[in-house]
Amino acid sequence: MTKRLASQRLISRIGLSLGMLFASATLTFLAVRMMPGDPATIILGGAMANPTPGAVAAITKEYGLDRPLIVQYGFYIWRLLHGDLGISFSQHLHVAEVLRQQMLPTLALASLSLFLAWALALVSVFCTVRRGRVLSSLGASLDISAAALPPFWLGIVLLWIFAFRLHLLPPAGSSSLASLIMPALSLAIPLGGFLAQVTRESMEIALDQPFILSARMRGLSMGQVLRRHALRHALLPGIALSAWALGALLGETAVIEAIFSRKGLGRTLVYAVSAQDMPLTTGIVLFVTVAYILASLVIEIIHELVDPRLATSRRRSASLWL
Amino acid sequence: MTRSHNPKPVLILIPVVACLAVLFYRYDTDSKTRHPNTHQGSAPHKGGTLVFATEREPLCLDPHVYGDMPQVYIAEQYLDRLVSMDEQGTIHPWLATSWEIADGGLTYVFHLRHDVTFTDGTKFDAAAVKRNLDHMVDPATQSGTAGGYIRQYTRTDILDPYTAMVHLSSPYSAFLNVLAQGFLGIESPAALARPRDVNCQSPVGSGPFIIAHWDHQSEVILRRNPAYAWGPSTAQHQGPAWLDGIVWRFIAEPSVRFAMLQAGEVGVIDSVPPEGETPAKANPDVSLLMADRPGNPTNGTLNTLRPPFNDIRVREAFIRSADIDGALGSIFFHHYARAGGPLSLSTPDYSPNFEHTKDYDPKRANELLEKAGWKDRDSEGYRLRDGKRLTVHIPISTVLAPADRTLWEQVQATARQTGFDVRLEPLSETANIARSDAWDYDVRIGYWNTNTPDVLRIVFGSAFTNHFQHGIHQNASGYSSPIFDGVVEQALATQDPQQRKALYQQAQEIIAKAHLQITTYSQTTRLGVFSNVHGVRIEPSLRVINFYDAWMTP
């Protein structure tokens, strides 16, 4: 019974993932190709370039821009099915090569931001929840204020203070670990505030449960109760939101990478869209979709590992999380 | 509630590690930046790697392909050209030692240096010249600049290994000028034999530096060409470059570039922001190096194909309603000079006679509009004719710099006083190109950098209107005058400099009188240089940064 359930879940999950990939490939293709303007002109330098008509014709033919849209779409999907992401119009590189060059800095930034966000959220919740009215409300208002900060604004403020005024951190670049600190904090502080809000609320609900009272009566300190009993319950909503958060972070890197002159997918995507570079735009969107699907899977596993109720049923059926 | 809560050690570690990283970095920058500059005025020092922070990353390092300004900046460092141009606009030998012009300007015979080798070991010869010119005009190259400048090119005959005869379809007196531009740099034929997209990543020239590596979205690494012995006469020294190499970093944000320069983290930056110029002048460690670029200055070109600007009186009225001098002063803190005529000051055969023929004059603007029939005003103060409002549509692309946008907002404000309803229409660059292709604008904002007054033919000649059809057109006004076309054609045909100067004078006058553009300021090269860097030059043909003579105090 449980085995069949697991394989059914696996099949439907794979089907759903493929559907998501197909939908994002199609939507991105349409969005880019329906934008006004002629990619051939943009490739040659825009309205002010001086190409010969021969050069415009050569580009139109090379990228198949003279074919009907439905034919272009058909070729595009056919190549995708063969694992060929195509060649970027504007960068003169294979899309797979652009992804290979640009993905690590972006993934490093997004995952460090998520890690820092959780660290900040836990510090805020641990230090202030149920610690007296003043401290509790101070913590809660800090969370709200942090969650309300726009990352780009925070990035500029951090840049101004730590790079321009104090000269403590490099204002630009992507080679050193130091260059990662400010971009990661700009993304982590607002997200951390948001995760702290969610965690604080569920922590307070958990702390009102009868088992907390009984644990305290067994003589455990407040800290021990928080860590051993309340935390598991309190973490769950935040963990469930983390896959969404990672997706959102990958999107927000575009602005942050631009502010801190970092290399990465976000900046490349912004450029690809403005240049109507269809293969590159769809390639990056597909990459982010895959990252999101994988992140959801990982988060689901973590969720079931952390959830004490699911842990009991896990002992009964080890493969349920699939 | 108890307060016995102890955070886990790992949580404490995070801020501690962060603090250590910060302290370490601070120590690191201190040791880099606090060297006093005691070597000024001494002989050039060989060695050192210069960090240059520039605004935009090129899409391809081969300047024949596409052809945008960031490409020519890098090409200047690793490519040589057939000829060079000096500050006065005179053409000098470079890879070509001499040349003869025959058949009334239809053939050019170039005699080439015998001692030049590309950095991949290929010898430079007449076949290399042929391969390069053929490559620029080949549609598969996708050239937006170099190929467009030599449309007249038909073929090259190799007379002997070091003599190349170039044939043109019509006389083109600007040919040597454009050959002096970095866009038409000479590349290794062996490297050009590779597919275009491979050559884009790692082109090969014979210049003072070699492209070593391109880390996309981050930097290009250039290193010295140790065999270099054929620098142009416009350079300050001969032999290999002083610098070991250049780290060519892409930092898009102007304020970040400027802050890095002030901290000495980079040696040279380009596009110094206008708000940085006053602090730069106050900083003893930073000097500024500026030059006006030749060509058609930054402008708004009026579309003469549709109302209201099909009426020359309305065109002049609009130009005279725009207080450009006032706007430049308030936006650029008086650091940008007004360019009044159709050519930038540094263009060869520039005439100063048209600098003030279009100055702000609201009184004359009002008179002209009355004469043109725009007599009534509506409740908001805009002029009316036959019940229709005097409206001007200006597409504003997202790629337009914020300062330029502000400039057009000021034009909007001053033109409103004479009764123009100026609509600034923000849109994406692709939508902007689509509007441009469809001639759907009253004003198109742009500029054209080139080192010859032949730019007038490209920007105002009827051959560049695309027959008023839908599509790319360089002539944004739609102006079409057989008299003007004749004058600029004659200027291309003549080999007599005095006669050419007179013809271009006449061409500038025709354009100034036709009221086709609001010209604002010249495009400029604006470099910031840290005190330990010396010998940075702005080369004369396109006013592009050149590091061949640059050196650093150790």
Side-chain angles (χ1 to χ4, degrees):
Chain A
M1 173 69 192
T2 48
K3 250 195 176 150
R4 190 161 153 223
L5 194 71
S7 59
Q8 269 179 347
R9 279 185 70 181
L10 182 67
I11 288 166
S12 74
R13 177 171 273 279
I14 290 173
L16 195 68
S17 303
L18 289 176
M20 268 171 80
L21 282 172
F22 179 74
S24 62
T26 304
L27 283 176
T28 319
F29 175 88
L30 288 177
V32 178
R33 294 297 287 117
M34 310 268 269
M35 275 161 78
D38 174 14
T41 322
I42 297 159
I43 291 164
L44 285 167
M48 304 227 322
N50 184 17
T52 57
V56 178
I59 290 202
T60 307
K61 194 162 181 297
E62 180 173 337
Y63 299 125
L65 299 168
D66 49 347
R67 298 202 184 106
L69 198 62
I70 186 74
V71 178
Q72 291 183 42
Y73 174 72
F75 273 112
Y76 161 66
I77 293 292
W78 181 249
R79 279 200 307 266
L80 266 190
L81 287 176
H82 290 75
D84 178 7
L85 292 169
I87 295 175
S88 160
F89 294 172
S90 62
Q91 307 236 350
H92 299 280
L93 281 172
H94 279 279
V95 172
E97 175 63 17
V98 179
L99 290 177
R100 191 190 65 74
Q101 289 177 1
Q102 306 293 333
M103 70 180 188
L104 277 183
T106 300
L107 289 179
L109 174 58
S111 36
L112 181 66
S113 305
L114 187 60
F115 175 77
L116 285 179
W118 266 111
L120 293 171
L122 290 181
V123 168
S124 166
V125 171
F126 265 108
C127 296
T128 60
V129 76
R130 294 281 159 97
R131 304 266 178 191
R133 265 183 58 190
V134 177
L135 212 52
S136 287
S137 48
L138 182 73
S141 37
L142 268 181
D143 295 348
I144 293 177
S145 322
L149 293 175
F152 73 89
W153 180 83
L154 192 58
I156 292 167
V157 170
L158 291 176
L159 195 63
W160 189 78
I161 298 174
F162 292 102
F164 294 177
R165 290 284 138 204
L166 302 175
H167 298 291
L168 291 176
L169 290 167
S174 34
S175 45
S176 65
L177 195 64
S179 68
L180 198 55
I181 296 174
M182 282 193 291
L185 279 177
S186 321
L187 292 169
I189 291 173
L191 180 61
F194 180 70
L195 290 174
Q197 271 183 298
V198 176
T199 311
R200 176 183 305 278
E201 198 187 330
S202 51
M203 181 73 99
E204 277 171 352
I205 293 170
L207 287 176
D208 287 335
Q209 300 295 318
F211 66 85
I212 297 294
L213 190 60
S214 66
R216 289 287 276 153
M217 283 167 71
R218 290 202 306 273
L220 295 179
S221 75
M222 189 62 193
Q224 285 168 320
V225 168
L226 280 177
R227 279 201 303 278
R228 288 191 198 159
H229 296 276
L231 183 60
R232 283 195 157 209
H233 293 267
L235 285 180
L236 291 174
I239 289 175
L241 282 168
S242 289
W244 162 82
L246 196 70
L249 282 175
L250 285 173
E252 281 167 347
T253 53
V255 181
I256 295 300
E257 282 170 1
I259 291 173
F260 292 99
S261 311
R262 284 182 61 78
K263 70 185 272 186
L265 287 179
R267 243 170 118 194
T268 311
L269 179 62
V270 172
Y271 183 78
V273 171
S274 66
Q276 283 200 12
D277 189 335
M278 195 277 291
L280 187 54
T281 309
T282 46
I284 296 174
V285 170
L286 283 178
F287 177 83
V288 173
T289 312
V290 170
Y292 180 76
I293 290 170
L294 291 178
S296 308
L297 189 65
V298 172
I299 293 298
E300 208 167 305
I301 294 169
I302 296 176
H303 194 278
E304 303 208 9
L305 287 174
V306 170
D307 192 331
R309 287 154 300 184
L310 291 174
T312 330
S313 60
R314 193 169 56 240
R315 276 194 288 279
R316 281 191 238 119
S317 107
S319 61
L320 187 69
W321 52 264
L322 260 178
Chain B
M1 291 283 152
T2 64
R3 305 230 169 216
S4 64
H5 173 67
N6 294 314
K8 288 219 164 154
V10 66
L11 292 181
I12 299 175
L13 266 178
I14 293 169
V16 171
V17 169
C19 287
L20 282 177
V22 157
L23 287 173
F24 184 75
Y25 183 79
R26 185 190 175 93
Y27 172 78
D28 195 38
T29 50
D30 278 1
S31 65
K32 260 197 311 231
T33 58
R34 299 288 145 80
H35 285 303
N37 177 22
T38 52
H39 296 261
Q40 203 127 31
S42 58
H45 170 83
K46 194 170 177 178
T49 298
L50 178 83
V51 183
F52 170 55
T54 181
E55 189 171 19
R56 286 196 293 148
E57 181 170 26
L59 296 170
C60 167
L61 298 183
D62 171 0
H64 300 174
V65 177
Y66 180 57
D68 195 7
M69 289 309 283
Q71 289 172 272
V72 86
Y73 300 159
I74 290 200
E76 181 68 26
Q77 323 307 325
Y78 80 92
L79 291 182
D80 295 325
R81 279 95 76 181
L82 286 179
V83 295
S84 65
M85 190 175 128
D86 68 15
E87 290 289 341
Q88 284 70 44
T90 312
I91 302 296
H92 296 275
W94 193 351
L95 295 184
T97 51
S98 62
W99 51 87
E100 292 106 38
I101 304 167
D103 292 348
L106 287 177
T107 55
Y108 284 68
V109 178
F110 291 100
H111 304 280
L112 308 175
R113 286 186 77 124
H114 294 212
D115 59 342
V116 177
T117 310
F118 294 103
T119 54
D120 61 358
T122 313
K123 288 290 285 179
F124 166 75
D125 56 12
V129 172
K130 176 178 166 61
R131 180 75 189 91
N132 271 271
L133 294 174
D134 287 352
H135 183 249
M136 291 171 208
V137 298
D138 182 355
T141 302
Q142 302 185 351
S143 182
T145 302
Y149 280 152
I150 55 167
R151 284 167 199 245
Q152 297 84 345
Y153 171 78
T154 52
R155 68 173 201 279
T156 303
D157 295 334
I158 300 169
L159 301 186
D160 68 53
Y162 295 103
T163 311
M165 183 187 242
V166 176
H167 296 271
L168 304 180
S169 59
S170 61
Y172 185 34
S173 66
F175 187 47
L176 292 173
N177 288 44
V178 297
L179 284 177
Q181 294 187 12
F183 286 118
L184 289 91
I186 302 297
E187 301 180 43
S188 158
L192 286 180
R194 302 171 299 168
R196 179 194 66 217
D197 292 353
V198 175
N199 195 55
C200 274
Q201 310 302 319
S202 57
V204 179
S206 58
F209 293 95
I210 302 170
I211 305 260
H213 178 67
W214 181 7
D215 183 12
H216 283 259
Q217 299 271 8
S218 175
E219 63 197 19
V220 173
I221 309 287
L222 297 125
R223 62 184 160 80
R224 173 171 50 217
N225 173 8
Y228 194 68
W230 41 83
S233 58
T234 46
Q236 304 294 310
H237 82 289
Q238 289 295 315
W242 304 117
L243 296 170
D244 289 337
I246 308 167
V247 178
W248 197 280
R249 291 187 67 184
F250 306 110
I251 311 260
E253 190 53 46
S255 56
V256 173
R257 273 199 311 279
F258 187 64
M260 291 177 83
L261 178 72
Q262 286 202 304
E265 286 178 51
V266 299
V268 181
I269 64 169
D270 71 0
S271 309
V272 173
E275 64 273 19
E277 283 187 31
T278 306
K281 281 173 183 154
N283 185 340
D285 274 336
V286 171
S287 54
L288 296 172
L289 201 55
M290 312 230 168
D292 276 6
R293 291 184 182 159
N296 182 221
T298 322
N299 66 76
T301 303
L302 315 186
N303 182 358
T304 63
L305 298 186
R306 70 181 197 184
F309 291 143
N310 55 355
D311 184 333
I312 188 170
R313 292 168 298 189
V314 182
R315 294 207 293 273
E316 184 181 351
F318 184 62
I319 293 167
R320 291 188 173 282
S321 302
D323 183 8
I324 300 296
D325 287 288
L328 289 177
S330 69
I331 299 163
F332 297 113
F333 312 100
H334 300 284
H335 292 307
Y336 282 44
R338 174 82 201 271
L343 291 179
S344 295
L345 194 112
S346 58
T347 321
D349 299 329
Y350 167 80
S351 162
N353 296 353
F354 312 105
E355 275 168 21
H356 295 289
T357 53
K358 300 179 171 197
D359 280 357
Y360 181 50
D361 186 350
K363 191 166 159 284
R364 176 160 172 80
N366 279 315
E367 287 166 11
L368 285 163
L369 289 173
E370 297 281 331
K371 276 189 209 153
W374 296 92
K375 292 195 169 97
D376 306 328
R377 297 227 188 197
D378 65 13
S379 56
E380 291 175 71
Y382 297 117
R383 285 185 182 268
L384 298 170
R385 191 177 67 182
D386 306 332
K388 277 186 72 183
R389 198 185 254 190
L390 181 53
T391 308
V392 175
H393 298 275
I394 310 184
I396 303 283
S397 165
T398 46
V399 299
L400 195 69
D404 286 292
R405 209 167 305 171
T406 314
L407 177 70
W408 284 96
E409 278 162 11
Q410 300 222 9
V411 169
Q412 180 183 41
T414 49
R416 183 184 174 143
Q417 287 160 13
T418 37
F420 281 95
D421 179 12
V422 178
R423 305 261 176 93
L424 303 178
E425 294 160 352
L427 33 73
S428 73
E429 176 60 4
T430 49
N432 184 39
I433 292 171
R435 290 270 301 264
S436 169
D437 283 357
W439 296 88
D440 181 15
Y441 55 86
D442 292 317
V443 176
R444 186 172 102 176
I445 298 170
Y447 61 85
W448 198 289
N449 295 333
T450 185
N451 60 346
T452 147
D454 187 40
V455 68
L456 295 171
R457 187 176 58 97
I458 296 175
V459 177
F460 302 108
S462 59
F464 291 83
T465 55
N466 194 29
H467 308 291
F468 313 107
Q469 299 295 306
H470 187 282
I472 191 164
H473 53 268
Q474 294 76 28
N475 178 344
S477 62
Y479 178 70
S480 166
S481 151
I483 299 170
F484 172 79
D485 289 346
V487 170
V488 287
E489 285 300 332
Q490 251 182 293
L492 279 189
T494 179
Q495 296 296 332
D496 173 16
Q498 285 312 313
Q499 198 188 348
R500 191 163 60 220
K501 193 180 175 74
L503 286 164
Y504 279 127
Q505 174 93 15
Q506 204 184 332
Q508 288 172 70
E509 188 174 350
I510 295 172
I511 294 305
K513 282 191 175 154
H515 299 291
L516 300 170
Q517 287 183 332
I518 296 187
T519 47
T520 57
Y521 59 91
S522 291
Q523 287 281 305
T524 46
T525 299
R526 313 175 91 76
L527 306 175
V529 182
F530 201 69
S531 52
N532 64 339
V533 181
H534 316 274
V536 175
R537 254 186 330 118
I538 296 180
E539 68 79 41
S541 79
L542 282 178
R543 313 285 154 159
V544 168
I545 190 165
N546 182 299
F547 287 115
Y548 173 45
D549 293 321
W551 57 280
M552 290 163 74
T553 38

